[in-house]
């Protein structure tokens, strides 16, 4: 039999080639995984797997939360929540230099907490905030760079569909992962706002201040944020308080967002039908990618690639932290080639066993001796770090999906300017990774507090 590393690398090369010629990632993984299993074990096991694999994958209860949060995000995009958040944040921050850009970051964070999708956050907030940034004569680079970078907050600030999928892959508690993501998500908001402050300090003309708003407008804008913050509090507060698990929480969130949209008359019957269709399409795409990733995982397990990779890394004698850094760098590079969900599904099943081995099996046989923490804590810490670097793929060329989304909205700003605009935020994200690598307690403190 061919060496597993050689066969596995060849399969990954074929997979990347299929993606490069625009074969959808789900079909590419199904094809490579199915053909790989057939080459190793014959065609009969492939058909036997397909008879039950889809049902076995999609009948997992934890996955029921995915369409609910997708529907919540789809309704939030139509309910006017983004406008209310941005108006409120701009009333508070817009009076200072760079304040409207800071308000856009705050709006992205708030909308991402309800929506859970980076692309939807970038697209929706781009439509709301870009006209205001242009009105106050912000530079094209700062305006578009801020919105592209702000969109990445949707993937980490809970609830997040990608975070849920990661939790299912490594068998982590979804509530625990939501708790772990909260402080790193807020840290990103703080670092992005500081990045804007430094940017306009260096280039004052890039982010002019506006004169602020009147008292009545300020009060109205502030009151307008309360329903949005209330929805966020009910959904996540109830989860953290143990009142309900994520699936009922998502259902409550859907009901509250729909009620808000109905009261404000932003959501009508055609909007509801459109949101349901969007949810069905997005959920179907996610589930098909899940099926392809499972076939790939079965194929790679049968040729022993994860075990061979772990053994090779262990025998190399590299320190655990160095291995962690290399894996995170690999995720950043892969983020240039594929979307975040596909990357998590494809890569985590290979990376995670390596970290488990480094954490327990080879350093004096003591669990936690590799990274100084239990396997459960490592699962949480690595998940948050992985999602942060996966975010970077959304603003990194040549893919940079958030950049493409914002560039499509900003007709007067060249894409090259948008990529220049996201570079300072890229640096802020790298700084956040370094901080979380050095201080794992920032990730683990809240889960440990809620678990105690």
């Amino acid at each position: 039999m061919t060496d597993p590393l050689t066969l596995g690398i060849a399969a990954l090369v074929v997979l990347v080639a299929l993606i490069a010629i625009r074969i959808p990632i789900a079909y590419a993984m199904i094809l490579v995984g199915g053909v790989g299993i057939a080459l190793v074990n014959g065609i009969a096991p492939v058909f036997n797997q397909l008879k039950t694999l889809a049902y076995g994958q999609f009948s997992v209860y934890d996955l029921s939360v995915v369409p609910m949060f997708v529907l919540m995000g789809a309704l939030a995009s139509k309910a006017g929540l983004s406008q209310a958040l941005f108006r409120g944040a701009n009333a508070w921050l817009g009076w200072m230099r760079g304040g409207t850009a800071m308000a856009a970051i705050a709006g992205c964070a708030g909308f991402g907490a309800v929506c859970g999708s980076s692309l939807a956050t970038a697209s929706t907030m781009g439509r709301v905030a870009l006209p205001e940034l242009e009105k106050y004569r912000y530079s094209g680079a700062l305006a578009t760079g801020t919105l592209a970078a702000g969109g990445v907050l949707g993937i980490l600030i809970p609830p997040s569909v990608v975070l849920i999928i990661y939790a299912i892959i490594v068998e982590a508690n979804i509530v625990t992962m939501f708790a772990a993501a909260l402080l790193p998500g807020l840290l990103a908001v703080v670092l992005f706002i500081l990045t804007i402050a430094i940017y306009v300090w260096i280039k004052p003309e890039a982010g002019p201040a506006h004169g602020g708003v009147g008292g009545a407008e300020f009060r109205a804008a502030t009151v307008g944020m309360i329903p949005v913050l209330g929805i966020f509090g009910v959904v996540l507060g109830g989860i953290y308080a143990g009142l309900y698990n994520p699936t009922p929480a998502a259902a409550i969130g859907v009901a509250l967002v729909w009620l808000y949209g109905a009261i404000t008359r932003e959501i009508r019957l055609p909007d509801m039908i459109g949101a349901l269709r969007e949810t069905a399409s997005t959920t179907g795409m996610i589930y098909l990618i899940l099926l392809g990733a499972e076939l790939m995982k079965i194929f790679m397990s049968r040729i022993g690639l994860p075990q061979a990779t772990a053994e090779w890394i262990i025998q190399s004698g590299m320190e655990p932290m160095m291995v962690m850094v290399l894996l995170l760098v690999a995720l950043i590079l892969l983020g240039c080639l594929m979307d975040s969900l596909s990357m998590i599904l494809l890569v985590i099943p290979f990376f995670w066993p390596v970290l488990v081995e480094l954490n327990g099996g080879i350093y004096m046989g003591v669990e936690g001796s590799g990274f100084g923490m239990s396997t459960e804590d490592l699962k949480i810490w690595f998940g948050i770090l992985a999602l942060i670097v996966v975010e970077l793929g959304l603003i990194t060329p040549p893919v940079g999906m958030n950049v493409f989304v914002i560039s499509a909205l900003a007709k007067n700003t060249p894409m090259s300017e948008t990529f220049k605009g996201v570079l300072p935020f890229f640096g802020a994200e790298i700084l956040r990774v370094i901080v979380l690598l050095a201080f794992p307690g920032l990730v683990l403190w809240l889960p440990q507090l809620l678990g105690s």
Side-chain angles (χ1 to χ4, degrees):
M1 178 176 161
T2 306
D3 175 68
L5 276 173
T6 303
L7 188 56
I9 290 170
L12 292 175
V13 169
V14 172
L15 179 64
V16 171
L18 291 174
I19 296 169
I21 61 173
R22 298 190 177 277
I23 301 295
I25 181 71
Y27 300 142
M29 288 195 291
I30 290 171
L31 180 62
V32 173
V35 170
I37 295 171
L39 287 175
V40 175
N41 299 116
I43 195 68
V46 178
F47 291 119
N48 288 333
Q49 288 282 355
L50 291 176
K51 283 193 298 185
T52 57
L53 186 61
Y55 177 79
Q57 280 286 99
F58 306 151
S59 61
V60 176
Y61 173 75
D62 284 347
L63 273 179
S64 63
V65 73
V66 172
M68 298 306 297
F69 275 128
V70 171
L71 179 57
M72 182 175 162
L75 289 173
S77 298
K78 300 177 185 297
L81 295 177
S82 55
Q83 292 94 325
L85 282 166
F86 179 70
R87 278 197 302 267
N90 199 29
W92 280 85
L93 300 171
W95 59 270
M96 67 179 76
R97 192 176 297 279
T100 303
M102 296 176 189
I105 291 295
C108 286
F111 188 74
V114 180
C115 173
S117 165
S118 289
L119 291 177
T121 299
S123 176
T124 305
M125 289 303 303
R127 289 186 177 91
V128 172
L130 195 57
E132 290 294 308
L133 291 164
E134 291 175 346
K135 172 184 172 183
Y136 294 116
R137 298 183 180 178
Y138 275 63
S139 72
L142 179 59
T144 56
T146 295
L147 292 169
V152 306
L153 298 172
I155 200 175
L156 185 61
I157 294 180
S160 163
V161 171
V162 179
L163 196 60
I164 292 167
I165 298 299
Y166 171 85
I168 292 171
I169 292 172
V170 301
E171 299 179 355
N173 183 282
I174 294 174
V175 178
T176 302
M177 293 305 305
F178 279 3
L182 195 57
L183 282 180
L186 294 175
L187 177 61
V189 175
V190 171
L191 289 175
F192 281 5
I193 289 176
L194 287 175
T195 299
I196 294 169
I198 295 170
Y199 194 107
V200 297
W201 178 66
I202 297 171
K203 295 183 176 180
E205 72 284 357
H210 65 69
V213 297
E217 186 179 347
F218 179 85
R219 287 190 293 273
T222 302
V223 170
M225 290 194 298
I226 293 175
V228 187
L229 299 176
I231 293 170
F232 175 75
V234 169
V235 173
L236 284 186
I239 292 174
Y240 293 154
L243 299 179
Y244 31 72
N245 66 33
T247 301
I252 292 169
V254 168
L256 290 175
V257 173
W258 173 82
L259 183 62
Y260 175 87
I263 291 173
T264 59
R265 298 185 179 180
E266 293 285 347
I267 295 181
R268 302 180 185 275
L269 183 59
D271 299 311
M272 190 70 191
I273 293 172
L276 290 170
R277 285 177 173 169
E278 182 182 332
T279 300
S281 174
T282 302
T283 304
M285 177 269 293
I286 292 172
Y287 281 15
L288 197 60
I289 293 174
L290 278 169
L291 179 63
E294 186 63 20
L295 277 172
M296 283 292 296
K297 188 168 77 171
I298 291 170
F299 163 54
M300 295 298 183
S301 296
R302 291 190 178 181
I303 64 173
L305 182 61
Q307 299 89 331
T309 305
E311 184 178 350
W312 177 79
I313 291 176
I314 289 167
Q315 290 178 350
S316 71
M318 282 190 290
E319 289 295 318
M321 190 59 73
M322 178 58 68
V323 174
M324 174 71 82
V325 170
L326 290 176
L327 294 182
L328 294 177
V329 170
L331 284 172
I332 293 174
L333 295 176
L334 286 170
C336 301
L337 303 173
M338 63 181 72
D339 65 273
S340 55
L341 179 62
S342 302
M343 188 163 42
I344 288 291
L345 285 166
L346 182 62
V347 173
I348 296 302
F350 303 108
F351 285 5
W352 175 239
V354 172
L355 296 176
V356 171
E357 286 295 322
L358 287 173
N359 196 45
I362 62 160
Y363 287 87
M364 300 177 289
V366 179
E367 184 181 11
S369 58
F371 291 96
M373 62 183 71
S374 69
T375 299
E376 285 302 310
D377 285 346
L378 177 63
K379 189 182 295 183
I380 298 166
W381 183 49
F382 173 62
I384 300 305
L385 288 170
L387 256 69
I388 291 173
V389 297
V390 162
E391 289 176 11
L392 293 176
L394 295 170
I395 56 175
T396 305
V399 178
M401 287 302 299
N402 278 11
V403 175
F404 283 93
V405 168
I406 298 300
S407 290
L409 299 174
K411 305 293 186 184
N412 298 324
T413 303
M415 190 178 295
S416 59
E417 285 296 299
T418 305
F419 275 119
K420 288 179 185 176
V422 299
L423 281 177
F425 298 98
F426 188 93
E429 286 286 78
I430 296 297
L431 176 60
R432 180 164 60 133
V433 171
I434 293 171
V435 169
L436 296 180
L437 278 170
F439 304 102
L442 290 173
V443 175
L444 302 174
W445 173 75
L446 188 55
Q448 290 171 351
L449 180 66
L450 294 174
S452 60

